Amino acid sequence: MQLLETTFWSAGGSRHGMAEQLGFSKSKTNALIAGLVEQGLLAEAGLQRSSGGRRPENLQLHAGLGVVVGIDIGATSVDVAVLGPDLAVLAHHGEPADVREGPGVVLARVRVLVRELLSRAGFAPRQVIGIGIGVPGPVNFEIGQLVNPPLMPAWDSFSIRDYLREEYAAPVFVDNDVNLMALGELWRLRRSLTNFLVIKVGTGIGCGIVCHGEVYRGAAGSAGDVGHICVDQEGPRCHCGNLGCVEVMAAGPAITRMAVEAAMAGESAALAECLRAQGRIDAIDVGEASRAGDASANAIVQRAGSLIGQMLASIVNFFNPSHVFIGGGITRIGPLFLAAVRQSVYQRSLALSTRHLEIQYTPLGAQAGLIGAGALAMHETLKVRGVAP
Amino acid sequence: MQLLETTFWSAGGSRHGMAEQLGFSKSKTNALIAGLVEQGLLAEAGLQRSSGGRRPENLQLHAGLGVVVGIDIGATSVDVAVLGPDLAVLAHHGEPADVREGPGVVLARVRVLVRELLSRAGFAPRQVIGIGIGVPGPVNFEIGQLVNPPLMPAWDSFSIRDYLREEYAAPVFVDNDVNLMALGELWRLRRSLTNFLVIKVGTGIGCGIVCHGEVYRGAAGSAGDVGHICVDQEGPRCHCGNLGCVEVMAAGPAITRMAVEAAMAGESAALAECLRAQGRIDAIDVGEASRAGDASANAIVQRAGSLIGQMLASIVNFFNPSHVFIGGGITRIGPLFLAAVRQSVYQRSLALSTRHLEIQYTPLGAQAGLIGAGALAMHETLKVRGVAP
């Protein structure tokens, strides 16, 4: 099992590298590999360039191992994908959704989508070996349930796992959406970075933490809940009860609110026109106006970036990550936001913490959550399944 | 080597438990143990109570293994101890010191103290198997040097390791003082807690982080540098250049400054009397006045605790630790400080993060740094020494 896991994380390692990573002898490794190849779990894939002698074959998980299902539930959207053992997306569908409608409505739709996508990709339900789901709230990872989720109260203590198990024999793993974005990036990086953060800015603000090469979930599973860090003690009241939380001042709804205020106050012709034409303004409209040079939109984007950077500065001083990746809807707002975040962090954090710090948008982009859900499903399935050895 | 390390961390495990922890067979474990006992590295210590059959012996590191030296350099003090393999303190001496005098002065004195303490405990220099040192600044752990330490600029890039190696053949390990307090508590707990923080409040404010059961030092070794987290954007300017850092507003010197101001403004007879009698007021005097019911001293203690709690609330939301241990000089100020910290954290952190959160003074107290320095020396020495197997 260790060997399959190692293969999954190294994505095509050589026999020799595998033996080294596992600390096994060459002959033991070769015997294990032969067994797994015979069982149809591992495949030899072409030849690796070598400096001479007999060329070691690259190894990869066998496509016949089955598929995993990745589900990324956002506050206002749902994405479902069928992925191969190498996390190639074999079929994908995303659509708007409202988590506040509760697990019954949302998961019924998810179930339909999974069925459709499996059929489209040409797989039967029994070929699903694992299901990974990300949800926008705090999760008790062991039991796979949300715990007091502020954005989706109807989901509290609902067993997503049991619901999906009715249809699939495969194990179901549930995690917070940002943890999965972090896991997705960790897999993409093949663990070449071991201490980094993923910040998701959308309806809320959350943070996925990778520490010592593993996703860190905290003592009670709520690690990374950075949306309620205070950035202004005299700021507006947040739904959590406190004043000046970064979420209430700088997440998607705050950007929208600032834009509507600017439009109504006659401070921005572009935003006013947008409000008139659509009846509403969203964060992407603000980004567009900003890129078109609207001063008011620029000020809003900079204010949001600066507040998020101020929160991040505290976190960077504390955690000293090598990289901060920013994802979620905010990434579509454009480069000015990122520049404002960076400026704020570099100004407020200690020199030693920022000397080699990289702050950028998530390389996996909008797919980070889905790839993470797939990675969770593969990783945990390979850990729990009793496949020899 | 693994077996000695496991013994060090488990402090007297049984043969059976040892085999289980290492994943070795009973016979392999017994053979390894026999070898180590023969080499005088491991000792069998009494019998463990058992439900029947042959009683398994408890194991511990052999006292003849040698001793380690623990050195805890604070901003205004230095502590040196000689410790046995079980971290029992065999000899200890602490005295005031001023790190600003530079490494030459401070380490020359340390060298004298080590010599004296070894002689007092009856050990020769060659019996020292490892030396662990904690310093109050950011450390590059790999090379054992301070990097841009704000409290002790003269130490920048000075090789403490090379200096002490002139006299001792044993390996020398240098770490940040708060990391060592965290390591000390982790050892005391035998890793029974895996995600916790140690906050040191003295001349500065720092934080040691234990994550996944290991001390976490960050990408550049500056993790836990929480003293410069902003708690008031309109607060006084800190030596780091920013406004309202928690360190400039709530650490020892800030408490002293607030007390002198209160004394001069005639707000507190007790503090004024203290200032008159001593010519100065330190944090402990403020604690004494507070315990005696002085309203002004109470307000100062509460203000410091509340500001530190505000900084901690952000960290707790982000990291979701199971425990926060507070150490350093501040612990002598009394229970009101701890109460103020707790109130501030519970008010500002999310319910899920604080539901099972414990905030208390460091159980190892003033010895946390020394025990940590000893634990570092033992742990790293057992890792690097080429003792079979």
Side-chain angles (χ1 to χ4, degrees):
Chain A
M1 205 75 270
Q2 240 183 326
L3 214 151
L4 293 182
E5 249 189 284
T6 306
T7 307
F8 173 63
W9 279 95
S10 60
S14 68
R15 283 166 185 272
H16 179 70
M18 210 67 82
E20 269 192 354
Q21 267 194 60
L22 293 166
F24 292 166
S25 70
K26 221 168 138 179
S27 59
K28 180 173 176 184
T29 308
N30 279 331
L32 286 174
I33 289 172
L36 292 168
V37 169
E38 201 167 299
Q39 289 176 66
L41 301 174
L42 214 56
E44 287 155 329
L47 296 172
Q48 198 183 41
R49 301 187 72 188
S50 168
S51 50
R54 195 170 152 235
R55 290 177 182 181
E57 297 91 347
N58 275 345
L59 295 167
Q60 61 185 36
L61 297 177
H62 197 291
L65 193 61
V67 291
V68 291
V69 171
I71 302 165
D72 185 13
I73 298 177
T76 59
S77 64
V78 58
D79 278 87
V80 179
V82 174
L83 306 101
D86 58 351
L87 300 191
V89 176
L90 307 174
H92 167 232
H93 176 83
E95 64 182 36
D98 185 349
V99 283
R100 289 170 302 181
E101 292 188 304
V105 175
V106 175
L107 290 179
R109 180 62 189 151
V110 163
R111 197 138 75 164
V112 169
L113 289 176
V114 173
R115 230 179 274 144
E116 282 178 12
L117 290 168
L118 279 172
S119 143
R120 199 201 296 172
F123 288 92
R126 60 171 174 74
Q127 288 174 285
V128 175
I129 59 171
I131 300 177
I133 309 185
V135 288
V139 169
N140 179 326
F141 184 72
E142 301 308 320
I143 57 169
Q145 289 181 8
L146 283 135
V147 188
N148 293 334
L151 293 175
M152 44 203 297
W155 295 64
D156 191 22
S157 303
F158 180 88
S159 180
I160 301 173
R161 194 179 278 180
D162 289 351
Y163 184 91
L164 288 168
R165 267 195 187 149
E166 286 173 22
E167 197 147 343
Y168 299 92
V172 178
F173 306 96
V174 186
D175 203 347
N176 174 266
D177 56 351
V178 202
N179 289 349
L180 289 190
M181 290 170 72
L183 184 66
E185 295 293 345
L186 186 64
W187 179 81
R188 178 187 68 83
L189 290 158
R190 312 299 177 202
R191 288 206 175 105
S192 60
L193 299 179
T194 51
N195 305 303
F196 65 86
L197 305 178
V198 175
I199 305 281
K200 182 181 183 181
V201 184
T203 307
I205 298 179
C207 178
I209 304 169
V210 171
C211 181
H212 293 143
E214 301 282 344
V215 172
Y216 172 74
R217 298 187 173 91
S222 75
D225 220 333
V226 299
H228 302 279
I229 288 180
C230 176
V231 288
D232 183 355
Q233 287 171 281
E234 275 129 46
R237 190 167 295 278
C238 178
H239 62 81
C240 77
N242 281 313
L243 297 178
C245 296
V246 66
E247 186 166 301
V248 76
M249 293 186 72
I255 292 173
T256 299
R257 196 182 57 240
M258 288 188 277
V260 170
E261 281 165 13
M264 312 261 280
E267 287 165 14
S268 161
L271 294 174
E273 171 54 24
C274 175
L275 183 60
R276 197 196 56 73
Q278 298 176 174
R280 57 176 185 81
I281 308 178
D282 62 25
I284 295 166
D285 301 321
V286 180
E288 264 172 31
S290 158
R291 277 196 298 275
D294 185 82
S296 183
N298 277 344
I300 292 169
V301 171
Q302 271 181 314
R303 178 165 164 74
S306 175
L307 288 165
I308 288 169
Q310 192 182 317
M311 174 276 284
L312 258 178
S314 302
I315 298 311
V316 163
N317 275 349
F318 171 78
F319 192 70
N320 182 210
S322 67
H323 290 66
V324 175
F325 299 114
I326 299 178
I330 200 77
T331 57
R332 287 179 290 169
I333 214 168
L336 184 62
F337 173 79
L338 195 57
V341 171
R342 285 186 178 137
Q343 192 187 10
S344 185
V345 172
Y346 290 132
Q347 189 186 318
R348 285 245 39 134
S349 293
L350 293 175
L352 187 60
S353 299
T354 56
R355 198 184 293 166
H356 302 290
L357 176 68
E358 298 267 355
I359 303 177
Q360 50 189 252
Y361 285 140
T362 42
L364 283 173
Q367 290 222 307
L370 264 189
I371 297 291
L376 178 74
M378 276 303 295
H379 175 67
E380 297 292 333
T381 296
L382 292 179
K383 267 198 337 203
V384 300
R385 259 178 72 172
V387 180
Chain B
M1 205 74 272
Q2 241 183 325
L3 214 151
L4 294 182
E5 248 190 283
T6 306
T7 306
F8 172 63
W9 279 95
S10 62
S14 67
R15 282 166 185 270
H16 179 70
M18 209 65 82
E20 268 192 354
Q21 267 194 61
L22 292 166
F24 291 166
S25 71
K26 221 168 136 177
S27 60
K28 179 173 178 183
T29 308
N30 279 331
L32 285 173
I33 289 172
L36 292 168
V37 169
E38 200 167 300
Q39 290 176 67
L41 301 173
L42 215 54
E44 287 155 329
L47 296 171
Q48 196 183 42
R49 301 187 70 189
S50 166
S51 50
R54 192 165 156 239
R55 291 176 182 182
E57 297 93 347
N58 275 346
L59 295 167
Q60 60 185 36
L61 297 178
H62 197 290
L65 193 60
V67 291
V68 291
V69 172
I71 303 165
D72 184 12
I73 298 177
T76 59
S77 65
V78 59
D79 278 87
V80 178
V82 174
L83 306 100
D86 58 351
L87 301 191
V89 175
L90 307 174
H92 167 231
H93 176 84
E95 65 182 35
D98 185 349
V99 283
R100 289 170 302 180
E101 293 188 303
V105 177
V106 176
L107 290 179
R109 179 64 188 149
V110 163
R111 199 138 74 162
V112 170
L113 289 175
V114 173
R115 230 178 276 145
E116 282 179 14
L117 290 168
L118 278 172
S119 141
R120 197 199 299 170
F123 288 92
R126 60 174 172 73
Q127 288 175 287
V128 175
I129 58 171
I131 300 176
I133 308 183
V135 288
V139 169
N140 179 325
F141 184 73
E142 301 308 322
I143 58 169
Q145 289 181 9
L146 283 135
V147 187
N148 293 334
L151 293 175
M152 44 203 298
W155 295 64
D156 191 22
S157 303
F158 180 87
S159 181
I160 301 173
R161 195 180 279 178
D162 289 349
Y163 184 90
L164 288 168
R165 268 195 188 150
E166 285 173 23
E167 197 146 345
Y168 300 92
V172 179
F173 306 97
V174 185
D175 203 349
N176 173 266
D177 57 350
V178 201
N179 288 350
L180 289 189
M181 291 170 71
L183 184 67
E185 295 294 344
L186 186 64
W187 179 81
R188 178 189 67 83
L189 290 158
R190 312 298 177 203
R191 287 207 174 102
S192 60
L193 299 179
T194 51
N195 305 303
F196 65 85
L197 304 178
V198 175
I199 304 281
K200 182 180 183 182
V201 183
T203 307
I205 299 179
C207 177
I209 304 169
V210 171
C211 179
H212 293 143
E214 302 283 344
V215 172
Y216 172 73
R217 298 185 173 94
S222 74
D225 218 333
V226 299
H228 302 280
I229 288 179
C230 176
V231 288
D232 183 354
Q233 287 172 278
E234 275 129 46
R237 191 167 297 277
C238 177
H239 61 83
C240 78
N242 281 312
L243 298 178
C245 296
V246 65
E247 187 166 300
V248 76
M249 294 186 70
I255 292 173
T256 299
R257 195 182 56 238
M258 288 188 278
V260 170
E261 281 166 11
M264 311 262 280
E267 288 166 11
S268 161
L271 294 175
E273 171 54 25
C274 176
L275 183 60
R276 197 197 55 77
Q278 297 178 173
R280 58 177 183 82
I281 309 178
D282 63 25
I284 296 167
D285 301 320
V286 181
E288 263 172 31
S290 157
R291 278 196 298 274
D294 183 82
S296 182
N298 276 345
I300 292 168
V301 170
Q302 271 182 313
R303 178 165 164 74
S306 175
L307 288 166
I308 288 168
Q310 193 182 317
M311 174 275 286
L312 258 179
S314 301
I315 299 310
V316 163
N317 275 349
F318 171 78
F319 193 70
N320 182 210
S322 68
H323 290 67
V324 174
F325 299 114
I326 298 177
I330 200 78
T331 58
R332 287 178 290 170
I333 213 168
L336 183 62
F337 173 79
L338 195 57
V341 172
R342 285 185 178 136
Q343 192 188 11
S344 184
V345 172
Y346 290 132
Q347 188 186 318
R348 286 246 37 137
S349 293
L350 293 174
L352 187 60
S353 299
T354 55
R355 198 186 290 165
H356 303 291
L357 175 69
E358 299 267 356
I359 302 176
Q360 51 190 252
Y361 284 141
T362 42
L364 283 174
Q367 289 223 306
L370 265 189
I371 297 291
L376 178 74
M378 277 303 293
H379 175 67
E380 296 293 332
T381 296
L382 292 179
K383 266 198 338 203
V384 301
R385 257 179 70 171
V387 180

